[in-house]
Amino acid sequence: MKTILVTGGAGYIGSHTVLALGERGYDVVTLDNLSAGHRWAVRHGELVELDLLDREGLDRLFAARRFDAVVHFAAHIQVPESVERPLMYYVNNVGGTLNLLAAMVRHGPRYLIYSSSAAVYGIPEVIPVAEDAPLRPINPYGHTKAMVERILRDMARAGEIDYIALRYFNVAGADPGGRLGEGKEWAPHLITVAVRAAAGRRAGMTVFGTDYPTPDGTGVRDYIHVSDLAEAHVLALEHLLATGESGVFNCGYGRGYSVLEVLDAVREVTGVDFPVEYAGRRAGDPPALVADSRLIRERLGWQPRLDDLRLIVETAWRWELP
Ligand code: UFG
């Protein structure tokens, strides 16, 4: 049985992936400092409470245990926060990853699946955006992801590691089996915010920006169900373990929805009309981000099963209901 170390495995996407790996018969060890993750979210394997900035702790863990691969989620992930506190983002996202890579090079394993982001593209010239588009992040969060990708590429070229970077678009929804969802108290993402407004767990919500160069003026995103994304990780891991081939893949469905379209879907699925305010653009937000997702379908054989905005909203809604 293969043992996979999952950093950030107590977080939203990490926990869904830990579950998917467990269901495929992998032995999973979750490493998490629980700053944004939750103990309850680790539904498979063991949890090691550790911070990636603790180099000695990491070294001890890698010296004591043998891992076949690392899946690396642990990072700060909020774009607006990264604009306000860039140093915290660079230290944690880049510095933490460097510590992890140093431990891997010292002790093994050589295989890494990395959580990258569509934020590396900034404001793409061509939409849908493909993997070979130029990387021009427009916020510190996106820069941390692009920097780590660069480091991984250089290390792979030098033979120090093999990796697959997955560039996530807008991850949403919850485990269709109702076992997991986005962390209970902290959640800035559009679908979670809207569903919570519908559930009466917040007074209402705000639409950030109505003057974008998009059909209805609000931001357009490619929303992907978290369980389809978890499956993409399993496929990437299997591919990497089998071939040792490094690569970079977009993870999105290839279809964009505006904020207003998402809110319509939330009203329709929940049957609740909640208060919405309109405000200016949020710092660091691009107008539109939609994936060209051909590569991951072709190379990894990824076949999304939950590619439906209403289904995404429905699973998120079920998770939020008491
Ligand atoms: N939005 C609102 N109101 C809200 C929340 C969001 O109008 O209360 C809008 C945003 O302005 C944006 C869209 O909804 O137009 C999506 O915003 P999210 O906060 O849900 O997600 P982001 O697109 O800002 O960022 C997410 C992840 C990033 C990742 C990016 C990739 O948080 O880590 O998707 O597309 F890089």
Side-chain angles (χ1 to χ4, degrees), residues 169-171 220-224 252-257 289-291:
F169 284 67
N170 284 60
V171 189
V220 168
R221 297 290 186 276
D222 186 339
Y223 294 91
I224 166 178
Y253 292 143
R255 166 130 190 235
Y257 292 96
L289 268 177
V290 179

Side-chain angles (χ1 to χ4, degrees), residues 89-295:
Y89 271 69
Y90 287 110
V91 167
N92 190 54
N93 293 9
V94 182
T97 303
L98 289 174
N99 291 343
L100 176 68
L101 289 166
M104 288 175 65
V105 168
R106 184 136 179 243
H107 302 282
R110 58 180 295 112
Y111 299 123
L112 178 78
I113 306 294
Y114 178 62
S115 297
S116 188
S117 167
V120 298
Y121 296 119
I123 302 177
E125 267 162 33
V126 180
I127 290 213
V129 60
E131 288 83 351
D132 57 1
L135 304 193
R136 298 190 192 116
I138 58 165
N139 50 58
Y141 169 73
H143 276 292
T144 67
K145 292 289 162 181
M147 279 179 189
V148 169
E149 278 201 29
R150 176 62 198 244
I151 293 164
L152 298 179
R153 197 175 73 190
D154 289 345
M155 289 179 70
R157 273 192 191 149
E160 290 181 313
I161 56 159
D162 302 303
Y163 76 101
I164 289 181
L166 299 176
R167 293 180 181 154
Y168 313 157
F169 284 67
N170 284 60
V171 189
D175 171 51
R179 297 166 293 180
L180 288 169
E182 185 150 24
K184 288 289 181 194
E185 58 282 353
W186 172 86
H189 295 124
L190 178 64
I191 290 180
T192 306
V193 167
V195 160
R196 286 182 184 179
R201 293 185 45 198
R202 42 184 299 153
M205 59 158 304
T206 305
V207 173
F208 299 124
T210 52
D211 60 348
Y212 283 112
T214 56
D216 66 20
T218 64
V220 168
R221 297 290 186 276
D222 186 339
Y223 294 91
I224 166 178
H225 193 286
V226 63
S227 300
D228 276 339
L229 182 61
E231 178 63 23
H233 287 77
V234 175
L235 292 173
L237 178 68
E238 282 167 356
H239 185 82
L240 192 61
L241 289 171
T243 67
E245 249 172 54
S246 292
V248 178
F249 298 95
N250 282 342
C251 294
Y253 292 143
R255 166 130 190 235
Y257 292 96
S258 73
V259 174
L260 297 185
E261 285 175 318
V262 169
L263 298 189
D264 281 344
V266 173
R267 286 191 198 95
E268 197 186 305
V269 167
T270 64
V272 181
D273 195 8
F274 46 90
V276 175
E277 282 179 5
Y278 297 87
R281 298 182 181 192
R282 200 171 60 175
D285 275 359
L289 268 177
V290 179
D292 179 332
S293 61
R294 282 176 297 181
L295 202 61

